[in-house]
Amino acid sequence: MFGHFLKSAVAYKYELGDGETITEHKLKQFVPLLKHVDIKPAQKESFGFSSVVGYHDPEHFFHKVGTWYLLSLTVEDKKIKKNKLDRRVAEKKRELAKAKSIELSALSKQESQQVRDKVLGEMLSEQEADENYLNIIIDTDNRWLFFSDSSTRTIKKFTGLMQKHYSSFRVSEFCTQGIDLHLTSWLYNPDESLPEEIDLEDSASLQSEQSAKATLKKQNLQSDEVAMLINHGKKCLELSISYLQRVSFRLTSNCQLKGIKLSDDLIADVAEIEDPQSRVEELEPFWEVMCSELTSIYQWLDELQNKPV
């Protein structure tokens, strides 16, 4: 479920067939039908749409803010270690062979598979599921998606659910070229190369193909030490910046935003609703700012990808 702001974000592009659009009417038709159902004892995973405000309103499966839609996906899964499964299956197969007074190798493929299926079901019933959330913002103006998690596995689950209603729905990478050279240039020569929209903060990660990653935290990024690392062939893969003095984050070479933090001035400007009557009403002004800022940042990044270093 959504809080006030996303703590991290990664963008993707989406495509639809001719004449198809994502609308409130269509989301109302199919999103509740694909809601998350709690994982069953012998089930390996369970996923589906869930409320954007959690227990405050369990049936509020999406929310529209301007031209953006907010959705949330819940994923429950159980991780069974293969070695542990194989050991228990081998033990049960030996017990079965002994009970039938036959050699272990005489068990049929069907019998062996039945043993494995039964053991897996038992182990799944014993295992507690991990529960994770994927928050999604759909920017219908730009046909972009903002995800709170970069896990491709979880993003594929969301894509699959959307394709149940929009068969033409396709997702592709937002960052197709990588911006590591831009990050490295900003870090190496900020006086000449740093875009006017941003300021450097105090952390960075650098790495070359031949050496380990160098992680700098709470350091002066314009020091001789940083220049020396770059001179020895390291590229910047992650850099902490402030965008328009409104939003701070660590920008990665694949255009992911980490550790997003809105400035105190920006938060102070949020037009909060006095005496909100619901959780949605309380959060909506913050969501509008969040969506607007993410779109602004990724419009800038979209242009940046095509600029020469």
Side-chain angles (χ1 to χ4, degrees), residues 56 69 89 110 112 131 141-142 146 155 161 184 201-202:
H56 297 281
Y69 290 99
V89 168
Q110 182 180 5
S112 295
E131 187 173 85
D141 272 354
N142 295 290
F146 304 133
I155 292 170
L161 290 177
T184 305
E201 295 205 323
D202 61 0

Side-chain angles (χ1 to χ4, degrees), residues 1 4 6 26 31 37 75 77 188 191-192 233 277 280 299:
M1 60 181 167
H4 290 75
L6 295 185
K26 287 190 176 181
V31 169
V37 177
V75 179
D77 61 359
Y188 188 69
D191 291 338
E192 293 185 13
Q277 300 303 301
V280 169
Q299 284 173 339

